[in-house]
Amino acid sequence: MAKSKVKSVYTFGNKKAEGDASMKNLLGGKGANLCEMNLIGVPVPPGFTITTEMCTVYVKEGREKVLKMIKSEVEDGIAYIEKHMGSKFTDSKNPCLVSVRSGSRASMPGMMDTILNLGLNDESVKGLVKKTGNERFVWDSYRRFVQMYGDVVLGLKPVSKEDEDPFEEIIDHLKKEKGVLLDNDLTTEDLKVLVDRFKKAVKKSTGHDFPSDPWEQLWGAITSVFDSWMNDRAILYRKLNNIPEEWGTAVNIQAMVFGNMGDSSATGVCFSRDAGTGENIFNGEYLINAQGEDVVAGIRTPQEITIEGSKRWAKLTSVTEKDRKNNYPSLEETMPKLYKELFDIQKKLEKHYKDMQDMEFTIQEGKLWMLQTRSGKRTGAAMVKMAVDMFEEKLIDEKTAVLRVEPNKLDELLHPVFIKAAMKKAKVLAQGLPASPGAATGQIVFFADDADAWATKGHKVILVRIETSPEDLKGMNVSEGILTARGGMTSHAAVVARGMGKCCVSGAGSLKIDYKTRTLEVAGQKFKEGDWLSLNGSTGEVFEGKIETEEAALSGDFGKLMEMADKHSRMLVRTNADTPHDAQVARKFGAKGIGLCRTEHMFFEGVKIKAMREMILADDEAGRRAALAKLLPMQREDFEGIFEAMEGLPVTVRLLDPPLHEFVPHEEENQKEMAKEMGISAKAVKEKVESLHEFNPMLGHRGCRLGNTYPEISEMQARAIIEAAMNLKKKGIKTHPEIMIPLTGTLTEMKMQEKIVRDTVEAVFAERKDRMDYMVGTMIEVPRAALIADRMAESAEFFSFGTNDLTQMTFGYSRDDAGKFLPVYLDKNILKHDPFQVLDQEGVGQLIKMATEKGRSTRPNLKVGICGEHGGEPSSVEFCHTVGMNYVSCSPFRVPIARLAAAQAAIKDNSTPAKAKKADKKDDGKKAKKK
Amino acid sequence: MAKSKVKSVYTFGNKKAEGDASMKNLLGGKGANLCEMNLIGVPVPPGFTITTEMCTVYVKEGREKVLKMIKSEVEDGIAYIEKHMGSKFTDSKNPCLVSVRSGSRASMPGMMDTILNLGLNDESVKGLVKKTGNERFVWDSYRRFVQMYGDVVLGLKPVSKEDEDPFEEIIDHLKKEKGVLLDNDLTTEDLKVLVDRFKKAVKKSTGHDFPSDPWEQLWGAITSVFDSWMNDRAILYRKLNNIPEEWGTAVNIQAMVFGNMGDSSATGVCFSRDAGTGENIFNGEYLINAQGEDVVAGIRTPQEITIEGSKRWAKLTSVTEKDRKNNYPSLEETMPKLYKELFDIQKKLEKHYKDMQDMEFTIQEGKLWMLQTRSGKRTGAAMVKMAVDMFEEKLIDEKTAVLRVEPNKLDELLHPVFIKAAMKKAKVLAQGLPASPGAATGQIVFFADDADAWATKGHKVILVRIETSPEDLKGMNVSEGILTARGGMTSHAAVVARGMGKCCVSGAGSLKIDYKTRTLEVAGQKFKEGDWLSLNGSTGEVFEGKIETEEAALSGDFGKLMEMADKHSRMLVRTNADTPHDAQVARKFGAKGIGLCRTEHMFFEGVKIKAMREMILADDEAGRRAALAKLLPMQREDFEGIFEAMEGLPVTVRLLDPPLHEFVPHEEENQKEMAKEMGISAKAVKEKVESLHEFNPMLGHRGCRLGNTYPEISEMQARAIIEAAMNLKKKGIKTHPEIMIPLTGTLTEMKMQEKIVRDTVEAVFAERKDRMDYMVGTMIEVPRAALIADRMAESAEFFSFGTNDLTQMTFGYSRDDAGKFLPVYLDKNILKHDPFQVLDQEGVGQLIKMATEKGRSTRPNLKVGICGEHGGEPSSVEFCHTVGMNYVSCSPFRVPIARLAAAQAAIKDNSTPAKAKKADKKDDGKKAKKK
């Protein structure tokens, strides 16, 4: 193939750039923003970006191919840097050093690899010493380069989690030899020894000399960045964050600027607003005489940028003002002029990007350079506050504000907080940084793998680490909360935890963690693996023991955002609730009705389960009817409670669904007990239980198959529902019962159940000499029902997609058993998402779309909703909107998420809600009085 | 609503008729043929038919409605009969009696009710006696009428199966009083007593007098016929014979002619060819001085119509020629002139209808009347022979001949026959009539309900009855064979058994059956319930004990028919076979390849199961590979055998499909044994077995989910398949392996498996330095696979619909558990057929059609087949043809059925096989040498 004509390199520098912020897909976020910053006059070291397309070529066609394609353009790019810097990449007397960094379309902090100070070798080190006159800085840079390159490009990494990093081991060894404690205490000569030992380690491990040719170094670094796109950490991060593999990463090659050139040099990260709370406060952290990665890596405790921030930090960590001023002064104090410049730049960037910015900067001998800007990650609370604030500041419009909040992030705001009463007895063990808000309580584990194993067994765990690293991702994801001894608000643990919406306390320096003995010492107490601990991620406090939590409420900015959202949505949000309490909670969160009220849960309490079992044990219809007669008043009472809690709003009640064996005991002991209670032989109970056994209960005798084989059950339930509604009507309480037949697969099944329901309801109407409106519909959860939806709609007045079961049957996956292969399938990328969490639009969605269209072809005003767990998952909610559903229904705590997702779907759909569409909204609850 | 203008009554008589044979749907088969017989000059008593539409009105809108609609036309109809008969319906001096019979579109023998001699009452009896001078005949007729009417219209029936009929009880009582044995021994005075007692019984049971007004009698009889359409027997019969409820029954009202007017009167049934063997021999049975139902009911042993038939009967029943001539002479002997007339009529009718006719006739005082003609039911063998004979006689063309045979009926020809060696020791207990061919061996049961219960438990049963009645239908259906002590070749048992394709021996008069003690005495031996018995339905012999059976072969007329069929079919027929033996059997039956070779069945033998278990117990890939290496040569050998048996024809091999727990023992005892054999602890085995447990194994870790989690399994299997094929290639044996990936639901699953297979195959090619053609495709059995078939076809070269699983998942029915509701669903008509037997075209079929179209949109030459059990069910095969499949695959013994069904589908589709379509046929095996 001839050399491709595709442009593979884009340069930037000195307020000029070949790209701009709109080119994120091609240049990655970092690259596009480096261009954009140049274009708006922000000081950025010159450099160039190799496009993400080249990463795709690399993954698909390999190294040789891609190097051929980019070679001459990269060479031109280096020449471009040399021109701006007035130095030469391969000139050992005046070397031009570069950084090589990844940068994909979406931010993936710490996920991929970076190499700094590239271009150094034994010769150019000498030239640089001569040029800068700063031997220690040069050797520190060289030491760092060899270490980074050795790790990232040449693969010298710790083998197991308890192993030391081979380079760190060499450093520790030398420190012991020299009898010093800190890296900074090592002399320049020591650094030279380190470089020598590092190189020997490389030779020993790889069989080759450490590469001294800057070009060889560069090509190695570039391919290593491309490789990092496919490493396990990156793959896992993409999986957790729904980033497609096809996007690829760009490679940014930039002239080095040095924060480690002495005390007039520094490096740091900063945010235009508070990423934790959303407050409009400039903040950040920096380190004097350090290189970029030092701040994020959490090895030294970084200092605050603003005085205000610095004082707050001191208070939280019990540092005296004097100590703070002497040892941890802010940038505002140490370099006030540069601080002012930085402050203005961040203001400019936020205004330009109309969003909170997360920036990296380096000060080299008194000159400020911006290395990166991007929209900052933030907690759910910050996301909400910023969206509302920016709208009120007129920085963004309402639709943008609504779109600005990731629905799933609201989950954090709905996360538990500690119960006040329980807090009175709570003993604070330590104070750390409030790295990611929320409350968490769980058992201590010290390793990410253990977190995973314990969580799988159903334990709630707190992952306690000296510091976290990308390898810990999976363990962090399954923990209730994360606690680290080291690292600031921008440490790995803090950033990742906020990204996950997990509670995190970082940098709790008083913790003494011993990985070998798996113990934690703090406040004079020793805790071991499995002991309970509680964290408040909003305050940074660490508590002893287990502290009870409670749910949070929807108010303030959150409430404002929800109101803004509702203005734009077309779909309504209902809830899945089986009790008056759940109904009330959901209503508080804005649910406009119940989309799924499961009646079976009502049968599990004392007297009810007994009557239920009597029914199951009955040999004939008469026996069943006698038992059902006992259940009737109890069910009616249940429904009255739920209907009353949902006054004025529709309530979809599903008739009995689970197989009968769920109501009988399976252990011999319990069977005996039941036999005694029922006054029959244990043998009879055992035989009945055995007769109810099923090989595949998911596909067994359940749903309307029960109602059609034992019509008296449906009859009793229909009577209980309608009598409850009529009783409330008498009291002046309006109800809108919607009776839902589960698991239909044929029209006749549906019609037979409809007839039972309607006959029963008419009988009640006749008895009461009064009538009311009600609906009869069906749950679409069997593929066949979706396939014949045009027929189904002849009988059903509404459809509710039960996507849990529909997913099980469409995929042929048992949710209870999929644990054996689903994790492997997700790992191997056979599935992009767990289809039980994210609706499979290609397959299951196709059935939903087909069924909705077919159903409406028969009954144009067919009401359509979803009541599977997907009803609270944002991408699935968007799909439901696209399909034209009337509502989604989800668990009470996901109602706000679904409301926001519904609004976003409507905004993206560009649909100003038409009056016609508003109509069914009105019909469906807007009339209802607020409770 | 105004009186309807729909014509509800069609008259016929004296060679004129308002309807004809083409009007079966409206007039029912009987009514249409009564018209047609008139039109072609056959003597038929005058009458009229009430249309089937009126039955539908009756079922839907009730008695009042329908009577209003038909009243005046029925009155006109009666007037029409009166005119032809010269008598009056309500004239007690010269009464015009009528028969009232049902008659639906399809023949349903004995299923619905008939009333004879209607119009008689205490007054007209006197008039008729005066008119005929035959008091006994008149009172016998009256007695029959009151009994029939009391039973059918007024509902005086036996309550339970062991109860006597209330009327028969009265007769028995009187016979005891009079000390006589036979009904015929009762005097005219006795008959009068009977009528009186019958009427009293009616009054006692119903509270009303027996109706004496002929019009009241008539309306009652008409509605009773309509009612009979919805009685349980009729519903069950329709279900067994796939007759829709919507068809309804017509009511035929005809002037009575009497076969019981003395010795110059007779009644009988006859067939234009032999319904059992298909031979072109006129045959039938008759009784002198009897009314129609006597012959069919099996109460008196009827006489043969022809001399030849009579002699054959005598031989079979060991009646001497003298005895025969004196006591059982043929009609040909007793009434030679009438016999000749009847012979000519049957010839005329068969020629007219171009099919074998089943006729009823009555001779009244020397005058022959035809009461009915219809296409006769016949055994599978007769069906084949008649079709081939009639084609060779040029009575019908080839397509008609092929269409004339019901594919399912071929099953009888493929039924077992007794093994010759086993027959040497066989002891004949009794000789009955060869009522329905085939061989059967099973345990004795005496009641239909017991047959059902025993069969459900897996027993093979022979239903032994004095005589059968429509109530026994269900029990007959589940029995291996039926044996009766009474009744001829046209008795209920014989007719129904032939219809079911069940072996039946009827009228074995030497049997002494005692229902109370549940014993059978014959040939001096006593047999009890559960004892073994064997029947030869082709010879009428009854044998002691269990006799081994073997499969029949395809030859003679059957072979001819198959050749005729193949000329017309487009689809090929393959077989599902897992062993060389099955493959050979199927090839003998005309299979053009294997559509499904399940590899798992191969793993269950001794050494293989051990290696398989080693693999399952292995903790890691290395361990699994070691075990698989042991399996490889064994699998390869299996495949060599199958490929060789199918030389030159394609063989679709499915990779491992069932969940692994199917290969491990579940009982503790067996687990211990396995542990000992494997040299590990029983606890380890138990733990592994428990870890493999699944809640819904149907939806669990199986199919390609195994191959994707343990790729080494697919690798081993692909290697075994291709090495086997290459080994045979070396020997000059051609093979066409098609490797099938089971249970795919996503394209990635398929692609990953395809890659493993292709990589492995390429590796083998490289090792062998040789190549061959092969295909990789998938089984479509998960709904999602059908939904994304366009994607699937990117990787799959062929689709094979696994309709067993596809039905399970589309309906959400577990086949193992559906027993709890499927029978109820079939009973309640929620499902018309068991979807596991007859493909659900509306739902599952929709997926199949969609998938085929989508698949071919991506890959136009996609090969498509079916390998579920539906591949051998005729209506499903027709559907597969319509969808455009290339082949169907079924069990070896259903191959001829599928071949015939495929031909019929093509003929009905009116598609002369185009050359293009023939192409893939050729490609798919026509080239193969016959083996």
Side-chain angles (χ1 to χ4, degrees), chain A residues 429 442-448 450-451 461-468 472 475-476 479-486 493 504-505 508 510-515 518-522 527-535 542-543:
Chain A
L429 293 172
Q443 289 172 275
I444 298 171
V445 293
F446 293 98
F447 297 103
D450 295 332
V461 299
I462 302 283
L463 179 63
V464 179
R465 298 284 302 166
I466 297 171
E467 53 188 308
T468 63
D472 299 327
M476 293 169 77
S479 301
E480 299 299 307
I482 297 133
L483 172 62
T484 67
R486 288 208 298 226
C504 176
V505 171
S510 63
L511 307 183
K512 276 178 205 137
I513 295 167
D514 185 336
Y515 289 144
R518 303 191 178 212
T519 52
L520 160 68
E521 254 189 80
V522 62
F527 296 89
K528 57 183 195 307
E529 193 178 64
D531 287 343
W532 286 80
L533 217 59
S534 299
L535 307 179
V542 181
F543 301 97

Side-chain angles (χ1 to χ4, degrees), chain B residues 615-629:
Chain B
M615 188 205 72
I616 293 168
L617 282 170
D619 290 324
D620 56 12
E621 191 184 322
R624 281 191 297 274
R625 284 193 181 274
L628 288 165

Side-chain angles (χ1 to χ4, degrees), chain A residues 335-350:
Chain A
M335 299 175 177
K337 223 187 106 203
L338 287 165
Y339 169 79
K340 180 68 177 54
E341 194 185 336
L342 181 63
F343 184 86
D344 291 344
I345 285 173
Q346 64 88 16
K347 271 278 169 245
K348 184 178 190 170
L349 287 171
E350 184 182 280

